Amino acid sequence: MITVYGRPGCAISQMIRRWLDRRGTPYQYVDVERNPQARSQLAWLTGGRVRSPTVVIGGDVLVQPTIEELEWALRRSRVGRSA
Amino acid sequence: MPDHVLAELEQEYARLADEIPDSPTRQAISVLHAMVMEVWRTVQREQLGGDGAGVDGRELTDLRDLFHTAPPMDQPAVTTPLEPGIQAPDFALPDPTGQLVRLSDHRGRPVVLVFYPLDWSPGCSQQLDLYQLELAEFRARGTELLAISVDSVYSHGAWAAMRGISFPLLADFHPKGEVVRRYSVWREQDGYSDRALYVVDGDGVIRYSTVSPRLDFVPDLDELLQAVDAAQAVRA
């Protein structure tokens, strides 16, 4: 499963979610402002660098990735194939 | 290493979070994990290949991403936008080619006015990247995007080229912020605008206006597109 950790008002989160939606790639969205436990989990994954968005794809933890990086990670990943 | 092995290890790492109590050791493990991820990411970026152009080892992509490490801009809003229902103030501002763009040139179709604080800054880079990526959504609605800040035409030109922004960036440079003030979103203490959006219908009437509660808050794009649709419906 792909997880997008984001917060309201974050442009990159909106960009990535819309891009994944268009691509037909399923993902789980977690609002870190409303979910303290998820925020703690995100801190564990990122060494305390809690940034919106952070995308977890397979073995990759991508803090504020570009679309190009996502494309690359999805191509490598078994979870990123379009539905 | 096969990709699925890395994915399994990552899952195991995530699972262990609940089993290690808060401590400097936990923090150190987490930092080490983050370092591995960033090194891995750097390797991937190098495989993707840089653009090869740059100065002192810095590539253009590094300049594009400078906003990630720029000083934050997250102050609360200090202004209230003009209310919907009134005529939008007309203006004539230069685009990066020096050509004057008037709001009244766009009668007959909705226009989205994007007031943003400054070129090169964090929230603005992200917001305009989002609009550029979603430009087809605006084009499909026959809507023009006009972005306005107090930067010069030269800054606008360089920033647009760097980010691949193809819609007009208008320079409210001299007298500084005059149009921003007319639209009631001027931050006197900072010398630039709040982050604000207006949707103006084909008759030049404001149909939607919003000021972000904080400078780093980019309004929901779906809400903006709905406002554009509503502006078209009013005219129809």
Side-chain angles (χ1 to χ4, degrees), chain B residues 78-172:
Chain B
V78 296
T79 64
T80 305
L82 300 176
E83 289 289 328
I86 66 169
Q87 199 72 22
D90 198 14
F91 56 77
L93 292 173
D95 70 10
T97 70
Q99 187 174 344
L100 280 182
V101 175
R102 291 178 172 79
L103 177 62
S104 51
D105 292 340
H106 297 83
R107 287 287 190 271
R109 54 186 166 160
V111 175
V112 176
L113 300 179
V114 182
F115 288 94
Y116 66 95
L118 289 172
D119 293 348
W120 308 98
S121 64
C124 305
S125 299
Q126 297 172 33
Q127 181 180 24
L128 271 61
D129 281 359
L130 171 65
Y131 296 161
Q132 180 63 38
L133 194 72
E134 300 292 337
L135 206 52
E137 293 281 358
F138 293 98
R139 295 277 190 260
R141 291 166 167 80
T143 300
E144 193 73 36
L145 270 176
L146 300 177
I148 301 170
S149 81
V150 297
D151 298 277
S152 72
V153 291
Y154 302 106
S155 177
H156 277 335
W159 193 53
M162 173 68 63
R163 310 210 71 77
I165 296 168
S166 61
F167 51 88
L169 305 184
L170 306 182
D172 193 14

Side-chain angles (χ1 to χ4, degrees), chain B residues 41 87 180:
Chain B
R41 196 172 167 186
Q87 199 72 22
V180 174

Side-chain angles (χ1 to χ4, degrees), chain A residues 47-59:
Chain A
R49 289 176 66 230
V50 175
R51 302 279 190 281
S52 175
T54 296
V55 184
V56 180
I57 302 174

